[in-house]
Amino acid sequence: MNITDVDHLLDKLEKMNFSEVDLEFDQVKIHVKKEKSGVSSNTERTVNLPNTNEVVIKSPMVGVVHLEKQLKAGKAIKQGEVVAQIESMKLFNDVTSTQAGTIATIHVKNGDPVAYDQPLMTLVKGNQNV
Amino acid sequence: MFKKVLIANRGEIAIRIIRACQKMDIATVAVFSKADQGAMFVQLADEAICIGPAAAKDSYLNREAILMAGINIHADAIHPGYGFLSEDELFAQMCEECGMTWIGPQATHIRDFSDKTHSRKIALSRGLTVIPGSEMISSEPQLYAAANKLGYPVLLKASHGGGGKGIRKANSAKELLAKYETVKEEAGMSFLDSTVYLERDFETARHIEVQVLGWRDHLMILGDRDCSLQKHRQKIIEESNASVLNQAERQQLYQLVHQLLDGAHYESLGTVEFLFVHHQFYFLEMNTRLQVEHGVTEETSQVDIVQAQIQVAARETPNLRTIHFKGHAIECRLNAENDLEEGQFETGRLDQFCLPEKARVDTGLKAGDQVTPYYDRLLAKIIVSAKTRKMAILKMQDALEQVRVEGIGSNLSELRQLVHSKAFMEDHYTIHSVEELMGETKNESYA
């Protein structure tokens, strides 16, 4: 079993519904423990930002950012709300907020080129409109 | 000439391309995955863009992400390096459609020459000898009939195999079926295509390849290389020129390359690979890209191959009118691998990484760097050249003595053993020598 095989396996497992599993075959032992969706991205953010009260929404891909209209600092954002679209190869891909909160800073301008994982905006977490 | 070149690759080859661009006053753009954030090539490029997460399929194999990065940063050309998308005809086409020049051959040439089945057909039609092989195998009786016709030992190959995967050797009819099942299973898993064919196995062959550069109506031959020293079908030591050939044989070899490519209007770099056995050249395959081992050719031809490749892509005439081959060059590939467990890829932190001073070293790593499991195992290419082969060997022996790798396992002791071996020093080696010298004669080892 090589790295590509492991990659394929993990991709498959990701789509299945379980929280922990032990696999054993061909003298290979694999233990996979899944984190609940949302939690993993949350921990990633806390690593990047010491301020755990803030959430950074990042670009999921390389492209050109199109911010939703009327976005500005102070605006309340619902969990799951589309905040921007990333245009890549003429396709528009929604960026949603995984958390509810209030926009603290918008880091990009409409039409800016963005890289993968580039911060688009920072929210201050809040429970309004959940 | 281009103003800004995006390098769709990583590690040592990205650095090699950046250096060539710097000499030509071309700005460089590195694209990188999250795993390569702190890598040397990212720091050396004029600009750098993160294109995706660590997994290659989401970053270095992500055509759209790379193209968008190129569009965003206004690159006018894309250099694919080797591996990843370097022989992807779709990507070559997409680059052109997005207004960026693909630094490589046209998509149609990639299709014709880099696909093994395709290129074998072309070679046959142009009068080259190919390795005796069978049609695609679809049944057991067919398998036995084909093997009997070719004679043992035979190689079982997955048609979409490569890099040592999906290849097994069967020494007798007894082993045939089991090996066939193994290859089919391996191929089905890794390449999602379980078509298998047989090829005659040559036990005493040398792997000889010819470096070419084509532009407009020209086809220039930039010498040859001997890459017979391979482990699990991966080259580990390469030499330029192939010292085993005499003048008449070399002439015949170059004639075959012209036969294959004259009139094809092949533009860019290419390598035509042959097996040389009993004074006969058997066409193996062609690589339509820059090769890992291009450095040994640069040392003996004094040509900067990467610069020439970029010039040709920019429709300029490369300045190569007079090439004089000088001396002999040898390259050793230092790989991250566990020397106890059959050379498995080893990852971790490079605590110490000392490289020889009196050798050309192409590497993308420095002490303190992490070797991640996502990509290839190459740590460094160590290249020496000298007036004669004998002097080059002494220089390589000396260079390897100065190498220190701490923190992760490497094939250093194996390389040292090889360059001190009688077979290597006396130039009497074959494509099976590494396995023989390392005592890997077990049945299940790769052919």
Side-chain angles (χ1 to χ4, degrees), chain B residues 23-40:
Chain B
K23 285 186 192 151
M24 301 170 85
D25 284 321
I26 300 169
T28 53
V29 181
V31 292
F32 62 97
S33 76
K34 288 298 271 182
D36 281 335
Q37 250 167 332
M40 211 195 285

Side-chain angles (χ1 to χ4, degrees), chain B residues 94-310:
Chain B
M94 287 167 83
C95 286
E96 302 289 344
E97 281 162 14
C98 291
M100 290 174 278
T101 304
W102 162 257
I103 303 180
Q106 292 168 24
T108 51
H109 283 139
I110 299 177
R111 182 169 58 237
D112 285 348
F113 292 106
S114 79
D115 178 274
K116 282 177 203 172
T117 336
H118 240 123
S119 66
R120 258 172 75 108
K121 272 187 199 143
I122 294 176
L124 273 172
S125 74
R126 289 179 170 245
L128 277 71
T129 310
V130 302
I131 296 169
S134 72
E135 298 287 301
M136 294 301 159
I137 303 290
S138 54
S139 71
E140 244 178 83
Q142 201 193 349
L143 173 72
Y144 284 104
N148 281 334
K149 202 174 149 202
L150 289 171
Y152 293 93
V154 292
L155 290 180
L156 293 113
K157 289 186 160 186
S159 87
H160 285 82
K165 267 209 240 163
I167 301 178
R168 282 291 188 282
K169 176 173 156 183
N171 291 304
S172 66
K174 250 195 231 162
E175 293 180 4
L176 196 60
L177 192 60
K179 295 290 169 75
Y180 175 65
E181 298 294 343
T182 314
V183 171
K184 251 177 63 172
E185 194 182 316
E186 234 181 45
M189 257 182 82
S190 314
F191 320 111
L192 302 167
D193 179 341
S194 55
T195 346
V196 175
Y197 64 96
L198 298 186
E199 220 172 69
R200 167 102 155 267
D201 182 46
F202 290 114
E203 304 211 286
T204 58
R206 303 276 282 226
H207 175 114
I208 309 277
E209 57 183 39
V210 180
Q211 177 74 62
V212 300
L213 178 71
W215 73 96
R216 293 193 289 273
D217 291 334
H218 300 264
L219 184 81
M220 181 160 256
I221 287 178
L222 295 174
D224 46 79
R225 295 185 284 259
D226 191 321
C227 310
S228 305
L229 291 174
Q230 307 181 2
K231 188 180 172 188
H232 301 171
R233 302 229 144 211
Q234 304 258 27
K235 298 165 187 167
I236 49 177
I237 298 182
E238 298 103 337
E239 304 189 59
S240 167
N241 282 332
S243 49
V244 73
L245 300 180
N246 63 34
Q247 211 38 51
E249 286 163 342
R250 176 161 288 119
Q251 238 172 16
Q252 192 203 342
L253 173 66
Y254 293 179
Q255 179 51 43
L256 290 173
V257 172
H258 277 293
Q259 225 168 293
L260 179 71
L261 294 173
D262 278 353
H265 301 286
Y266 185 81
E267 293 192 284
S268 192
L269 285 178
T271 298
V272 189
E273 301 190 336
F274 295 87
L275 280 188
F276 180 55
V277 52
H278 304 311
H279 306 283
Q280 165 91 40
F281 293 102
Y282 294 90
F283 173 78
L284 207 53
E285 61 178 2
M286 178 165 176
N287 293 316
T288 55
R289 54 169 166 82
L290 178 66
Q291 301 263 117
V292 177
E293 61 272 26
H294 73 278
V296 284
T297 301
E298 295 187 316
E299 293 304 311
T300 50
S301 67
Q302 324 289 313
V303 174
D304 186 313
I305 286 182
V306 182
Q307 284 192 46
Q309 182 189 24
I310 295 170

Side-chain angles (χ1 to χ4, degrees), chain A residues 2 11 63 88-89 113 116-117, chain B residues 34 50 52 57 68 72 165 373:
Chain A
N2 61 28
D11 279 350
S88 169
M89 306 303 282
Y116 171 78
D117 223 28
Chain B
K34 288 298 271 182
C50 183
K57 72 172 171 54
M68 272 317 289
N72 277 353
K165 267 209 240 163

Side-chain angles (χ1 to χ4, degrees), chain B residues 383-414:
Chain B
I383 304 162
V384 298
S385 62
K387 262 190 191 150
T388 64
R389 181 170 190 271
K390 204 174 163 191
M391 285 158 77
I393 292 174
L394 291 174
K395 225 169 150 179
M396 182 56 89
Q397 290 173 343
D398 192 46
L400 291 179
E401 281 314 308
Q402 296 166 44
V403 177
R404 291 279 173 281
V405 184
E406 300 281 341
I408 55 175
S410 80
N411 65 341
L412 180 58
S413 61
E414 188 175 285

Side-chain angles (χ1 to χ4, degrees), chain A residues 1-5 7-8 11 26 44 48 58 60-64 87-90 112-117, chain B residues 34 37 49-53 55-57 64-69 71-72 94 98 165 185 189-190 345 373-374:
Chain A
M1 186 159 204
N2 61 28
I3 292 299
T4 332
D5 300 330
D7 268 350
H8 282 306
D11 279 350
D26 295 347
E44 194 179 289
N48 292 340
K58 294 172 175 176
M61 65 185 73
V62 185
V64 173
E87 180 189 352
S88 169
M89 306 303 282
K90 295 182 179 134
D112 273 358
V114 289
Y116 171 78
D117 223 28
Chain B
K34 288 298 271 182
Q37 250 167 332
I49 300 175
C50 183
I51 48 165
K57 72 172 171 54
E64 289 80 9
I66 296 169
L67 291 170
M68 272 317 289
I71 292 167
N72 277 353
M94 287 167 83
C98 291
K165 267 209 240 163
E185 194 182 316
M189 257 182 82
S190 314
F345 186 6
Y374 309 107

